[in-house]
């Protein structure tokens, strides 16, 4: 699964991990103390930098595929579907309602009906800023210093120093450093 190979999403081991994470996040997301909540979330992730802050309703499937750099801020209602690795660089800021989705569902009905699922990793560079309600699709890599406009759906990869927006997202401006 983590390598992007076909897997059965209803595998008992995967279901058990999702249930464990769901139960933990149900309690953690209701914790009003920021330090306690963020420490508990960090303990469920593969790794994150020490300066890590998320608001409540931070959700993910497994945690072991999530790698977040230092100086991360995530606003309310962040969803990371981590079938494959999700890597987020340093100094990244996410607005509310962000979704990073690594699962890839087959196009053909026969494969979907057979519960075949794949995944593709998502990589976000350093110093990126996402406006509210951004969706990032499987297999996307964003370079450093990328700004993603609110409501965008990112379906393909982009390099450094661009502002992207729209559905599908496209470059609307280059950033001069």
């Amino acid at each position: 699964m983590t390598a992007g190979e076909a897997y059965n999403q209803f595998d008992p081991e995967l279901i058990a991990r999702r249930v464990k994470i769901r139960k933990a996040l149900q309690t953690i997301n209701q914790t009003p103390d920021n330090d306690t909540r963020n420490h508990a979330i960090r303990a469920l992730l593969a790794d994150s930098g020490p300066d890590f802050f998320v608001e409540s309703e931070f959700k993910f499937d497994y945690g072991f595929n999530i790698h977040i750099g230092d100086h991360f801020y995530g606003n309310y209602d962040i969803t990371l579907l981590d079938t494959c690795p999700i890597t987020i660089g340093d100094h990244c800021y996410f607005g509310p309602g962000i979704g990073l989705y690594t699962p890839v569902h087959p196009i053909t009905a026969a494969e979907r009906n057979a519960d075949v699922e794949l995944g593709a990793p998502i990589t976000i560079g350093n110093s990126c800023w996402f406006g509210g309600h951004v969706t990032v699709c499987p297999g996307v890599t964003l370079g450093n210093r990328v700004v993603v406009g609110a409501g965008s759906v990112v379906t393909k990869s982009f390099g450094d120093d661009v502002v992207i927006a729209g559905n599908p997202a496209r470059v609307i401006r280059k950033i001069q450093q």
Side-chain angles (χ1 to χ4, degrees):
M1 174 184 84
T2 297
E5 296 179 13
Y7 69 97
N8 183 338
Q9 63 184 325
F10 299 111
D11 176 87
E13 183 179 346
L14 295 178
I15 290 173
R17 176 66 183 196
R18 289 193 305 265
V19 168
K20 174 185 173 183
I21 293 297
R22 191 176 306 125
K23 286 178 179 179
L25 288 174
Q26 186 174 31
T27 300
I28 292 167
N29 279 316
Q30 299 307 310
T31 302
D33 181 74
N34 291 328
D35 290 338
T36 302
R37 184 181 63 255
N38 284 286
H39 179 75
I41 289 172
R42 285 182 65 212
L44 297 174
L45 304 178
D47 56 84
S48 69
D51 186 6
F52 171 91
F53 187 97
V54 293
E55 301 290 355
S56 61
E57 299 308 317
F58 190 75
K59 298 170 278 219
F60 50 88
D61 286 329
Y62 305 105
F64 53 68
N65 277 327
I66 300 174
H67 310 273
I68 299 177
D70 202 13
H71 303 288
F72 176 80
Y73 173 79
N75 211 314
Y76 295 97
D77 299 318
I78 305 289
T79 301
L80 307 178
L81 299 185
D82 62 318
T83 294
C84 281
I86 294 175
T87 304
I88 300 168
D90 296 334
H91 295 278
C92 289
Y93 305 93
F94 285 9
I98 302 299
L100 276 57
Y101 309 136
T102 66
V104 177
H105 299 281
I107 298 297
T108 67
E111 288 178 300
R112 283 193 310 276
N113 292 347
D115 295 322
V116 172
E117 191 169 295
L118 301 163
I122 293 174
T123 303
I124 310 297
N126 296 319
S127 301
C128 293
W129 172 38
F130 288 17
H133 299 281
V134 167
T135 298
V136 179
C137 293
V140 166
T141 294
L142 296 179
N144 297 314
R145 299 170 302 279
V146 172
V147 175
V148 184
S152 296
V153 178
V154 185
T155 61
K156 66 180 186 174
S157 298
F158 293 91
D160 298 343
D161 300 311
V162 292
V163 177
I164 62 175
N167 182 1
R170 66 189 187 329
V171 174
I172 61 170
R173 179 176 158 202
K174 295 194 185 285
I175 301 170
Q176 301 300 317
Q177 293 299 319

